Structures are given as C-alpha cells and as structure tokens.
C-alpha cells in the first residue's frame, strides 16, 4: 500500500499537563507532573488511586465534559492553523474524533434513580445525545463534511487521525479536524480499578516496579489540510501524516497478544505507506501505560523493530486519557519532532531486567525527520501513526 | 470515487435470521412486533419493540465460547458469520479483511449492568467483565477474536449517522488498498434503558405499528438487530449490487443534492420530528420507498436500508413500502438505482447511492 | 452449605460457565488454563466475586494467584480470613 503525506497545520491540546499546546510542552520539558486523588468525584473504594485531572476547567452545563474539552482543543488547533470561522465555513471540513465515554448512554445518577423506582429527569440522557463529540465540534465550527466519532477504546484518537488523513487524500474533505477527547469519571475510574491495572502511586511506564496506569482526561486535536487549500492559503505545514497502520490481535478482550503480532503489523503498515525505513525513525512516542502487560509487549516490539531508537511515554505527564490519548500523543509527537527535542519518560527510574530496553531518562535532542506514535487498545486493536517533519518555521 | 460491490449480506432482526427471512419480510411487507417489559415509576410497563433472536449463532460458535459474550456482541457475531457465509468466505483467509462496525448506542444492556454492579455492590465490587464488554468496540473485538480477523478494526458511534459515517471510512480502506474486503456491519440492541427512554419519550400510549410517512403522528417503535455486508472494490464477479457514492455531513442552509434517476429509500422511522424533513426531501414526481416498519427505529436501521436496497437491486424489482400512503407507495417496479437517505437533527444528512 | 460447595455454585453462575455443573468441578482441579479454563479476565472477576459473596478482599494478583489454584485453595483462603 502506498499513500501520500497529508499536512498538519494546527495543533490543540488540553490535559493535566496544560491548557494549551505550549503549556503542555513546558510541563513535559520541565519534567513537571501532578497526579493527585480525584477531586471531581468521590469514591468509597478503600484504596485511593491518583489521576491526572484537568484543573481549572468547567464545561458548560449542556455539554458532556468530553465534548467541551474536544471543542476547546479544536478551537486552539483551528486558531493555530490560522483559520477564521468564516474561512472554515467556505470549505468542506470533516470531523473525526476518538473517544471512549463520549457517546455511551452512561449516567450513574440517572441509573440510580431509575433503579430506585423514580422517574428521573431526562436531562442527563439528553445531554449525552446532544454531546456526540464529532457532532458537537461540527456544530460549534459549522463543519459541513463527514462527522465520525471513533470508539476503538484506547486507540481511538490514533485511528481518528489516520482516518482523517485518508479522507483528505480521498478528496472527501478540504480540511479535517481530528484527534481524541475523554473525560474522567466514576465509571471509568472504577472500571479500571476492577481490572486491577491501576497503580496506587504515580504511574511508572516501563519501570521495573510499575504496577499499572493512572487515568487522565483531556483532548488533543490536529488540523489536517489538503495541499490545494494549504498552498492557496500559504499555510505552513507543521508536520505531515506520513503513514497509518492498524491491525487487530484477535487474541483476547483485555490482554495484548504476548508477541505483539498486531502491533508489528500496524507498524509495518504505517512505515510502508510512504516507504520509510525503520532506521529513519528518530523517536517513538510509545503507548507506555505503565501496566505490566502493555509495557512488556511494547518494549519487546520496539527493541526488535527499532533497535537503538529512543522512545518515551508521555502518560507519566498526562495519565492514560483513553480515547483522547492518541490525539494528545499525536500532538506531542508532532510538536517534539518540530522542536527536535523529546522529553524524558516521566516516572521511569529502574530498568526492568525482563524488558529489552529502557525509555528516555532525560530530555534528548533529535535530528531526524520522522517520528512514530503508537496505541494499543482493549479488544486487541493496535494503531500506529508516522509523522514527518514539516516546513521550516 | 471508488465503486464498491456488496458481495454478501448477513441480517438478523424481528423478521428472523438470514437473507431469506429478510427477503420474505420485504416481499410480504409484514413483521410481528414484539415487546419488552420495563420498570418505570408507575410500575412495569410493556414497550413495543422489534426483537432479534441470536439462537442461530449456535450453528457457528460453540456455546462455551460465548459464555462471556453479551447480546450486543452476539448480534454482531451472528451478522458477521451470516454475511461471510453468504459471500462464501467462511473458512477463507481473513488476513486482508477489515472490520467496520457502526452502532448508535453500543452495548447499552451491559453498560447498565456495569452501573448496576457499582450501585448494588459498592465501589469495590464493579464487575470487570461487564466493564470490558461495555466499551463500544467490544463487539468488534469479539468478532475479530472469534473469526480470526487480523486486519484493521473500526467501531463508529455517530448516533443516527453511525452507518453512513462508518461507510465513508470503510470505503477509504478499500480505495487505498489497505484491505481487500471489509466486513461492514451495524448493530443496536433493545435494552431496558433504551426501552425506558422510549417510554418516557412516547409513552404511555405507544404506537402499535410504524407509519413513517405520516408526518403528523409519532409512531416510532424501537428495534434491534444486526445488518452486515461484505464489501469489496468493484473488480467484477457476482455481487448483489454496487455502491457508487457515499456522502454525509451537515447542511447549513442550501439544499440537499439527490440523484434524480434513483428510487429514494427514506430512513423515516416514525419519529415525528424528522418525518417532515424526509417528506420534503422527495422531489415532486420523485419515487420513494421506506422499509423501516420491517426492522424498527434504531441507528443501525440504516444498514438494513442498505441490505434491503441490495436485495431489490439484485432482483431488479423494488419492494412495496409496507406502510405508505398513496403518494409514496410505489407498486413493485423496476429499479436499477437506489439512493438511501438518512436524516438526523436539523442539519445532518447522509446519502448512499447504489446501483446494479 | 460449606464454602467449597457455595464457591462452585457461584463460579458456575457468576462466570457463566456454560455446560459445567457445580458437581463436575473437582476440589483440586486447577481453575485456570487446563481444568476449568478460566483466564485473566475471569481472575479479576473472581476477586470481585470473593469480595461480594464472602467479604474477603484480595489486594493484588500476586495474592490472587496463590488463592486461585483450585477450589480447595480458594476455600482455604476465604475460610482463613472469615474465621475470626
């Protein structure tokens, strides 16, 4: 399979690491992170687990927090790309957003009341039905193109960006806003605790003593643009989507295939799109959740496919933001590639003798032209994006 | 635009299981509507619903392998096996096949069951099995695991627009040569939650049959089922029909552009707020049909529209609308091109144009 | 009913063990892999089951692995923590 590159002209991000892309990068390069016990909800679980909440952000009452976060990141991304609302209205703009909770009919208060034999107010359900993340962005920016909310669990954001690039190449849209968004709440918090893959201390991706992930929340969005529109506008490409690969383990609902069969296939596909060789890749933003299984499989595949290539996990700064993770990490990968500097893998201290390699211990300058971001999900989905360096600033 | 072919169909709904049952229901224009009991503030109420049975799955998968698989995923598995069998691909190498599933609401029963475990057992007794099965892509995961599909997998949830939106991406996979075939399907289930919401919206007096062309009345009846298609690039060979184009998005002002030489297959499903938009979309003198009274009101119904259109195109004869007023009740007529139209909200639209 | 019998009934029901009856589960047979054929997702579900039905907390999987060898070992684990 051969495809051509698609330009990225704008980035937006809101997560625990910061409210904008520059704020997030500052935190990453400074090694700042602040996981803490949840403040937005209470739990009667005997063990408190740290999470990465977005502080100082309140969603409007009529929207799910997930979708409000998505709009916030999209606004930054459109502004970064230099698009005014009027300009967008004259173009075919598509929306492709990954999420996990953003479209589930999942409201605890409503369920509780219904179970108790009450007739609960329908507002929480109506809010969900009005909050499909892609549809909310389309309404907010009057996007006329296709709307797609991708629900591929923790790979959703990565898939959304890969699909968006394909829509541009296929001539379906002039511009696509793509990424991921997810809020943190009691349901996912207790769901992940029940799977026993959360760490009761700050997460330690790839570390010998890693015990699991910390959940986070946020949104990461990218503006992808056709060359025709970009050249006409004279907009600078911050980066290019060079490749996208996705493959299924077909193995288990919650455990990754131990040899990383699907991940290998996804990497191979992403590299093949523009015929980039593995040794041209200058760094990898790994999924690196901090769970024993994920990090074992991932480090094994990285060591075999990308020997000597530096890799890091940014989940130590953001927590695992689920459907948003692929979007946020795509934004980070692009921004780090552009700047030529990658942050240390937060939370990593002691090398695990069972793992083949180790992630970056300190910030490192990189010179190369390509970087990879990978996501592994529930259900055995593996998705990989390959980014190429954009125009000089 | 790359033209696609529909190579296989797998359907399960209130009409039964498989293409033959579906075709019979379309020809007869009749299906028995079932119901679901739901707890409300005024006691248990019976809500009419189109129910689908997944017993047919035992032909394909041993019961033991299904012990953790919920109704939502069973529907997906059943649709998948039927479609692959129909396309004569069961047992074939599924290495270069992609999997795309659209669902408006996901595994709502399991989602509710997970909340139930949290509410009844307390925060330290949440069920991990329910949690894992409550994610929207659990069905795709179960299909991939059971059938050994190792290509890319995508689940889309865009409420009423889930099916056409997912079709846009499925088509791109084929157009770019990422895969050689896509197992494309849609599922939605009738759960207590969905039924309760319907009851609150339309109860206590529920419609007993859907009259989608009557813009004045609310007559939606919730439905469930699976409609799966095996899609390939148009490289010849036997097929039900081709898919010429897919368009979806929002119209902010301006007019919907529809082909003038195609039978319009309307997705109208008895919801009063959309009926007028559908009727207004039909141009003067245009021909329209609507088959939703055979499978019910659910986002996945858009895939049943596509399956029905494919069957009509294969035989070259349109099925009569089961519940049409004189204006749109086309007698059985020759048909070579169908445009499936789905509308949602004030501005969302989708058209899928199919031809022989 | 003794703990073992109760456990077997709960296993069959809560893990939805199709085509297996409580009587068919032997006290000493392994629960995971060969034997009952349970997997990692069942293991975490078992933690919840033990908490819910017996009020016994299994803090992590290392502890769980020891307890989940067989019905014998799990019953002993539960009884040791509920006896007091």
């Amino acid at each position: 399979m051969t495809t051509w590159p698609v330009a990225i002209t704008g980035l937006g991000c809101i997560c625990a690491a910061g409210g904008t892309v520059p704020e997030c990068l500052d935190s990453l390069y400074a090694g700042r992170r602040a996981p803490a016990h949840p403040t937005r909800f209470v739990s009667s679980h005997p063990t408190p687990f740290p999470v990465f909440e977005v502080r100082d952000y309140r969603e409007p009452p009529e929207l799910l927090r997930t979708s409000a976060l998505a709009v916030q990141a999209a606004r930054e991304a459109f502004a970064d790309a230099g698009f005014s609302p009027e300009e967008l209205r004259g173009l075919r703009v598509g929306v492709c957003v990954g999420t996990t909770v953003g479209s589930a009919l999942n409201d605890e208060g409503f369920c509780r009341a219904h179970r108790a034999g009450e007739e609960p107010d329908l507002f929480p359900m109506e809010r969900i039905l009005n909050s499909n993340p892609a549809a909310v962005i389309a309404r907010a920016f009057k996007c006329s193109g296709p709307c797609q909310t991708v629900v591929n669990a923790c790979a959703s954001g990565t898939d959304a960006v890969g699909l968006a690039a394909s829509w541009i190449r296929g001539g379906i849209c002039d511009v696509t806003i793509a990424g991921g968004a997810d809020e943190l709440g009691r349901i996912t918090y207790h769901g992940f605790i029940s799977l026993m893959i959360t760490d009761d201390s700050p997460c330690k991706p790839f570390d010998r003593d890693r015990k699991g992930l910390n959940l986070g929340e946020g949104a990461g969005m990218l503006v992808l643009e056709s060359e025709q529109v970009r050249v006409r506008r004279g907009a600078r490409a911050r980066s290019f989507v060079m490749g996208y690969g996705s493959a299924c383990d077909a193995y288990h609902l919650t455990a990754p295939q131990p040899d990383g069969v699907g991940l290998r296939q996804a990497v191979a596909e992403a590299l093949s799109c523009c015929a980039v060789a593995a040794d041209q890749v200058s760094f990898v933003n790994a999924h690196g959740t901090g769970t024993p299984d994920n990090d074992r499989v991932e480090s094994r595949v990285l060591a075999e496919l990308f020997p000597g290539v530096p890799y890091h996990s940014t989940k130590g700064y953001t927590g695992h933001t689920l459907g948003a993770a692929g979007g946020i990490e795509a934004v980070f990968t692009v921004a780090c590639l552009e700047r030529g500097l990658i942050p240390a893998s937060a939370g990593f201290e002691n090398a695990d003798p069972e793992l083949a390699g180790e992630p970056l211990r300190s910030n490192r300058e990189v010179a190369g032209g390509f970087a990879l971001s990978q996501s592994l999900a529930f259900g055995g989905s593996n998705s990989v994006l390959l980014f190429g360096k954009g125009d000089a600033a | 635009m790359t033209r696609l072919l529909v190579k296989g169909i797998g359907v399960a709904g209130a009409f039964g299981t498989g293409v033959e049952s579906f075709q019979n229901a379309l020809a007869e224009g009749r299906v028995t509507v079932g119901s679901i009991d739901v707890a409300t503030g005024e006691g248990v109420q019976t809500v009419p619903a189109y129910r689908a049975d997944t017993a047919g799955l035992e032909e394909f998968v041993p019961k033991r392998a299904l012990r953790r698989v919920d109704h939502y995923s069973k529907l997906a598995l059943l649709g998948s096996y039927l479609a692959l069998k129909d396309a004569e691909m069961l047992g074939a190498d599924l290495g270069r096949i992609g999997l795309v599933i659209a669902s408006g609401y996901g595994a709502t029963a399991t989602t509710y069951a997970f909340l139930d475990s949290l509410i009844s057992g307390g925060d330290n007794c949440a069920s991990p099995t329910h949690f894992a099965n409550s994610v929207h892509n659990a069905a795709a995961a179960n299909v991939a695991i059971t059938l050994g599909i190792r290509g890319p997998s995508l689940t889309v949830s865009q409420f009423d627009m889930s099916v056409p939106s997912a079709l846009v991406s499925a088509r791109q996979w084929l157009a770019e040569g990422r895969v050689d075939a896509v197992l494309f399907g849609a599922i939605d289930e009738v759960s207590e939650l969905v039924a309760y919401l319907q009851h609150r919206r339309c109860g206590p007096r529920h419609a007993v049959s859907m009259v989608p062309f009557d813009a004045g009345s609310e007559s939606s009846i919730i439905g469930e089922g699976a409609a799966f298609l095996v899609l390939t690039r148009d490289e010849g060979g036997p097929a039900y029909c081709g898919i010429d184009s897919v368009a979806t998005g929002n119209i902010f002002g301006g007019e919907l552009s529809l082909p003038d030489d195609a039978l319009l297959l309307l997705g109208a499903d008895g919801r009063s707020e959309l009926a007028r938009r559908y009727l207004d979309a039909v141009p003067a003198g245009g021909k329209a049909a609507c088959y939703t009274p055979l499978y019910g009101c659910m986002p996945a119904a858009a895939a049943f529209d596509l399956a029905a259109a494919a069957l009509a195109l294969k035989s070259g004869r349109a099925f009569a609308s089961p519940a049409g007023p004189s204006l749109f009740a086309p007698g059985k007529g020759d048909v070579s091109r169908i445009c499936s139209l789905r509308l949602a909200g004030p501005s969302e639209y989708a058209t899928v144009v199919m031809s022989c | 009913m003794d703990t073992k019998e109760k456990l077997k009934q709960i296993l069959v029901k809560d893990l939805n063990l199709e085509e297996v009856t409580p009587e068919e589960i032997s006290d000493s047979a392994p629960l995971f892999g060969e034997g009952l054929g349970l997997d990692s997702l069942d293991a975490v579900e078992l933690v919840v089951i033990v908490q819910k039905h017996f009020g016994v907390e299994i803090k992590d999987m290392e502890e769980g692995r020891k307890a989940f060898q067989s019905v014998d070992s799990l019953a002993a684990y539960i009884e040791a923590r509920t006896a007091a």
Side-chain angles (χ1 to χ4, degrees):
Chain A
M1 183 185 54
T2 312
T3 61
W4 68 82
V6 173
I8 296 166
T9 54
L11 303 177
C13 184
I14 176 168
C15 63
T20 62
V21 176
E23 275 177 36
C24 290
L25 289 179
D26 284 351
S27 299
L28 264 58
Y29 290 132
R32 268 198 309 272
R33 63 174 186 156
H37 297 156
T39 61
R40 297 187 49 255
F41 57 86
V42 292
S43 168
S44 64
H45 196 280
T47 313
F49 291 86
V51 295
F52 289 77
E53 288 177 331
V54 175
R55 297 295 175 87
D56 312 318
Y57 177 78
R58 284 187 83 121
E59 65 280 9
E62 73 279 9
L63 280 184
L64 281 183
R65 188 171 168 86
T66 297
S67 308
L69 289 165
V71 169
Q72 178 88 353
R75 186 171 295 119
E76 185 190 1
F78 278 133
D80 182 42
F83 275 118
S84 68
E86 295 70 35
E87 247 177 313
L88 285 175
R89 265 164 237 170
L91 296 166
R92 289 172 307 158
V93 182
V95 187
C96 197
V97 184
T99 190
T100 61
V101 300
S103 53
L105 297 177
N106 212 349
D107 186 273
E108 193 184 346
F110 185 89
C111 178
R112 238 174 233 282
H114 178 219
R115 268 180 52 93
E118 296 164 23
E119 296 275 37
D121 187 356
L122 290 179
F123 174 73
M125 286 295 156
E126 283 162 356
R127 179 170 55 194
I128 293 170
L129 295 172
N130 277 323
S131 289
N132 179 279
V136 167
I137 291 180
R139 279 205 304 270
F141 301 97
K142 292 267 185 289
C143 305
S144 62
C147 263
Q148 189 156 113
T149 297
V150 174
V151 282
N152 278 3
C154 307
S156 303
T158 300
D159 289 314
V161 175
L163 292 165
S166 150
W167 293 2
I168 299 277
R169 279 193 300 267
I172 297 166
C173 328
D174 302 313
V175 172
T176 303
I177 180 89
D182 251 322
E183 71 191 80
L184 182 60
R186 276 178 47 80
I187 294 167
T188 37
Y189 180 77
H190 292 103
F192 277 89
I193 292 172
S194 78
L195 287 163
M196 298 183 91
I197 49 172
T198 45
D199 195 332
D200 57 7
S201 58
C203 66
K204 301 172 272 294
F206 300 107
D207 192 274
R208 181 191 66 196
D209 303 320
R210 69 189 184 279
K211 288 194 287 187
L213 54 83
N214 300 151
L215 287 173
E217 62 176 358
M221 293 287 161
L222 301 88
V223 174
L224 277 60
E225 196 168 341
S226 75
E227 283 305 281
Q228 205 186 353
V229 171
R230 189 174 77 83
V231 168
R232 193 180 72 212
R233 296 198 308 132
R236 179 176 83 88
R238 291 189 70 166
S239 175
F240 291 92
V241 177
M242 303 296 295
Y244 162 62
S246 176
C248 203
D249 283 344
Y251 175 71
H252 189 268
L253 196 55
T254 51
Q257 204 274 348
D259 298 323
V261 169
L263 180 58
R264 284 164 206 267
Q265 172 66 26
V267 168
E269 224 176 80
L271 293 175
S272 78
C273 290
C274 290
V276 172
D279 60 9
Q280 291 176 274
V281 172
S282 53
F283 72 94
V284 178
N285 183 311
H287 191 53
T289 55
T291 65
D293 279 353
N294 177 84
D295 294 3
R296 189 182 311 115
V297 172
E298 224 184 345
S299 64
R300 180 171 175 188
V301 170
L302 285 169
E304 286 178 36
L305 299 184
F306 299 100
V309 173
Y311 65 92
H312 67 153
S313 163
T314 45
K315 292 205 171 56
Y317 301 98
T318 62
H320 189 357
T321 57
L322 307 178
I328 290 173
E329 286 155 29
V331 167
F332 290 169
T333 307
V334 165
C336 293
L337 184 66
E338 189 180 45
R339 180 113 149 227
L341 181 66
I342 38 176
S345 206
F348 178 79
E349 265 180 53
N350 301 304
D352 182 344
E354 280 182 33
L355 302 190
E358 61 174 61
L360 278 182
R361 284 176 183 272
S362 53
N363 294 358
R364 184 184 297 180
E365 288 185 11
V366 286
F370 302 100
L372 211 70
S373 178
Q374 55 191 32
S375 298
L376 285 72
F378 256 27
S381 272
N382 303 270
S383 298
V384 173
L385 284 166
L386 177 70
F387 297 101
K389 216 166 187 154
D391 305 330
Chain B
M1 273 189 157
T2 308
R3 189 171 192 264
L4 307 183
L5 292 182
V6 177
K7 291 277 191 181
I9 296 176
V11 278
F15 49 81
T17 300
V19 171
E20 209 175 315
S21 311
F22 190 40
Q23 196 145 18
N24 290 342
L26 285 160
E28 287 169 20
R30 235 173 335 131
V31 160
T32 308
V33 179
S35 67
I36 177 171
D37 285 344
V38 56
T40 75
E42 279 123 31
V44 174
Q45 301 278 336
T46 299
V47 177
Y50 291 81
R51 308 300 300 271
D53 185 1
T54 58
L57 191 52
E58 279 174 42
E59 178 194 340
F60 304 107
V61 190
K63 226 175 157 195
R64 185 82 205 266
L66 297 172
R67 74 182 169 90
R68 241 174 7 208
V69 177
D70 63 13
H71 184 58
Y72 170 76
S73 283
K74 278 181 186 163
L75 283 169
L77 276 168
L78 182 55
S80 299
Y81 272 99
L82 291 169
L84 288 170
K85 186 181 176 189
D86 191 43
E88 294 178 356
M89 284 168 71
L90 264 190
D93 175 15
L94 301 178
R96 292 262 303 164
I97 197 173
L99 176 61
V100 176
I101 290 184
S103 176
Y105 303 124
T108 52
T110 299
T111 299
Y112 220 54
F114 175 73
L115 279 174
D116 224 37
S117 70
L118 197 66
I119 292 167
S120 63
D123 288 351
N124 55 347
C125 284
S127 161
T129 308
H130 285 329
F131 183 62
N133 276 304
S134 72
V135 294
H136 278 59
N137 69 324
N142 281 316
V143 169
I145 291 166
T146 311
L147 277 153
I149 296 177
R150 294 195 171 77
S153 158
L154 169 68
T155 303
V156 169
S157 184
Q158 200 60 39
F159 296 139
D160 280 325
M161 290 294 141
S162 300
V163 170
S165 174
L167 193 54
V168 169
S169 290
R171 187 154 181 272
Q172 275 307 111
W173 283 358
L174 287 162
E176 293 192 335
R178 197 168 282 278
V179 293
D180 293 332
V182 171
L183 176 58
F184 177 90
I187 27 169
D188 271 303
E189 67 174 346
V190 165
S191 65
E192 202 186 349
L193 176 63
V194 169
Y196 178 68
L197 291 175
Q198 174 76 355
H199 184 70
R200 288 290 301 277
R201 209 171 66 84
C202 305
R205 291 189 55 207
H206 293 275
V208 291
S209 63
M210 282 174 39
V211 281
F213 291 130
D214 182 352
S217 70
E218 169 69 44
S219 68
S220 63
I221 296 175
I222 52 175
E224 70 175 357
F228 278 67
L229 308 173
V230 175
L231 304 174
T232 64
R233 286 178 292 275
D234 185 356
E235 285 158 1
Y240 284 95
C241 67
I243 296 179
D244 302 329
S245 72
V246 185
T248 175
N250 282 283
I251 293 204
F252 299 108
E255 292 240 335
L256 199 60
S257 114
L258 297 169
D260 48 17
D261 60 341
L263 171 70
L264 269 185
L265 181 52
L266 303 182
D269 54 13
R271 284 179 292 175
S272 53
E273 71 269 22
L274 286 171
R276 187 37 62 198
R277 267 192 80 199
Y278 274 110
L279 294 177
D280 288 348
V282 183
K287 280 199 295 180
C290 175
Y291 305 136
T292 55
L294 302 173
Y295 28 89
C297 174
M298 60 177 153
F304 286 84
D305 289 353
L306 301 183
L311 290 172
L313 288 166
K314 191 183 179 199
S315 68
R317 309 277 289 169
F319 304 98
S321 300
S326 52
L327 181 60
F328 293 126
K332 294 185 182 182
D334 291 348
V335 65
S336 60
R337 213 159 130 79
I338 294 178
C339 174
S340 161
L341 174 68
R342 281 265 160 186
L343 302 169
S347 58
E348 291 167 70
Y349 78 95
T351 56
V352 180
V353 179
M354 303 161 86
S355 64
C356 300
Chain C
M1 197 191 319
D2 73 356
T3 309
K4 285 184 204 171
E5 265 174 65
K6 189 175 168 195
L7 251 180
K8 288 177 189 176
Q9 289 190 0
I10 293 169
L11 284 177
V12 168
K13 186 170 167 289
D14 285 16
L15 296 180
N16 207 9
L17 299 178
E18 298 279 354
E19 294 157 359
V20 177
T21 63
E23 296 73 37
E24 287 167 352
I25 302 175
S26 103
D27 291 356
S28 57
L31 296 177
F32 290 81
E34 299 300 308
L36 267 194
L38 304 186
D39 67 5
S40 57
L41 186 49
D42 294 307
V44 285
E45 191 69 41
L46 254 183
V47 170
V48 173
I49 288 170
V50 170
Q51 169 77 46
K52 200 166 70 182
H53 293 278
F54 300 95
V56 171
E57 189 191 359
I58 296 171
K59 280 210 170 56
D60 56 50
M61 261 308 146
E62 225 158 288
E63 229 180 288
R65 253 187 291 277
K66 280 179 240 156
F68 296 159
Q69 299 293 321
S70 61
V71 169
D72 269 336
S73 70
L74 185 49
Y77 183 92
I78 292 168
E79 281 165 358
R81 279 152 190 84
T82 47

